[in-house]
Amino acid sequence: MKVTAAVGFAQENKGRFLEELKALLRIPSISTDPERAGDVRRAAEFVAAELKRIGMENVRLIETSTAKHPGGHPLVYADWLHAEGKPTVLCYGHYDVQPAEPLEEWKSPPFEPTERDGNLYARGAVDDKGQMWMHVKALESLMVAGDGKLPVNVRVIVEGEEEVGGEGIASFVRTHGEQLKADVALVSDTEMFAPELPTLCVGLRGMIYTEIEARGARTDLHSGMYGGAAPNPFVALAHVIAKLKDADGKILIPGFYDKVEKPTAAELKAWKALPFDEEHYRETEVGSVSLTGELGLSVLERTWARPTLDVHGMPGGFIGAGAKTVIPAKAVAKVSMRLVPDMTPAESFAKYKAYVESLTPKGIALDVRLIHSGDPIVVSTDNPYVKAATDAMHTVFGKETVFVRGGGSIPIVGDFVRELKIPTVMMGFGLPDDNLHAPNEKFHLANFHRGIESIVRFLSGVGA
Ligand code: BES
Ligand code: MN
Ligand code: MN
């Protein structure tokens, strides 16, 4: 059996697979930081070189930088299309990572991958370099076991801008969709609901990421000389932000909830049956004295099936040590909203912008701009690929798969469904305490290896 041989190969080469992942994790491919553009490209080249080495074909970097989208990071493409009559799987991942700050909170340096207690700690360990590497290593194992042949046709597309909105891949999919022609997309960039519990993610929230810039006086002013007469853009933003959401987490933008679809009764029932301990979640995952959010809705419903609004930072003014008495001329608030089906980014942004502008405080000019956006999505589960995925994970974990949604966003998944018109299987192996986007991000090593085996079995199953 080739599957057994491939699984055996993955087992025997565990140590090497991990060392390779560490080398990739040492490259600080932070997509949002222009100073890291060279490192981002180095990560793309690293992935491309390995895809080539394992026997994938047509390996290339696809540039995404355009006049409209300057400084875009390259896509990595590869394929192997010689499994005649078999389906084509589009393997997707991202090689870019979030910034590592605050650095002082890391127990080991973010770009020096370190093993502790069966986990690998590094920025990008699970989101998404480690999970993307599972795809590459599953393909390698199948290639070796099949003497240079795969059981299915495979295209690989790995992007370097997921963490900044994924504009480059979105425009590639819209203009060159035929180059990614496939029957199903495989995405490993989500989490398992609990340790040891095989999970398929069937929905993601969309998002609009915005900035509100407030301008008051022509220049920074002495707050003693002008305080009482000059408008303060930070106070203005505080007033605006306070009117975006009430104390119970309800978003106050008129019409914002108009298109929100309630989860189906079947979904709500399935979510109730999941092993979820709200108190444990509050204490160990969130670590706050209480949880917040809309009254009467469960945490899972609030984080998976309801829109939210958050403020990420307010650059501007004086943030140095000690005190400086200044009325800043301008201030910015970075505000994002997560969207759920059937909300659209364009309509949601229009409502938000109109509402924010209607709140403009006296003496202040507001500029409301969209930084990036992505559609929410719920994928179908009624297809043979989902069956192949649950069968594969049943063999590996010995358990039935649970179906969940994710509160996060992977903007391109909506485009896979809408533009390429193919189902997506979101088979992720992160854990709830993996610290995505936070200090001490980790990947549970057992899941790295079980993930590789699951993907080997999935691809073989799709080809069977
Ligand atoms: N892998 C995450 C998304 C995710 C995490 C989905 C956990 C489901 C469960 C992805 O890398 C991510 O962080 N996306 C960003 C996208 C945004 C910048 C457009 C996000 O959700 O903030
Ligand atoms: Mn990710
Ligand atoms: Mn992420």
Side-chain angles (χ1 to χ4, degrees), residues 399-411:
K399 280 190 193 158
E400 294 301 328
T401 294
V402 295
F403 293 82
V404 306
R405 293 204 209 172
S409 311
I410 308 173

Side-chain angles (χ1 to χ4, degrees), residues 197-224:
L197 192 56
T199 304
L200 285 185
C201 178
V202 300
L204 295 166
R205 288 197 285 192
M207 81 157 4
I208 49 178
Y209 198 107
T210 79
E211 281 179 354
I212 310 175
E213 183 175 309
R215 287 184 310 277
R218 187 181 319 111
T219 179
D220 286 9
L221 298 171
H222 188 295
S223 68

Side-chain angles (χ1 to χ4, degrees), residues 177-196:
E178 76 291 344
Q179 294 184 30
L180 296 180
K181 197 170 153 26
D183 297 287
V184 60
L186 175 67
V187 175
S188 298
D189 192 22
T190 53
E191 308 177 324
M192 301 184 1
F193 189 76
E196 318 288 322

Side-chain angles (χ1 to χ4, degrees), residues 69-93:
H69 180 57
H73 303 302
L75 302 169
V76 182
Y77 175 86
D79 63 31
W80 191 90
L81 302 169
H82 306 294
E84 225 177 286
K86 303 287 187 186
T88 302
V89 179
L90 176 63
C91 293
Y92 163 88

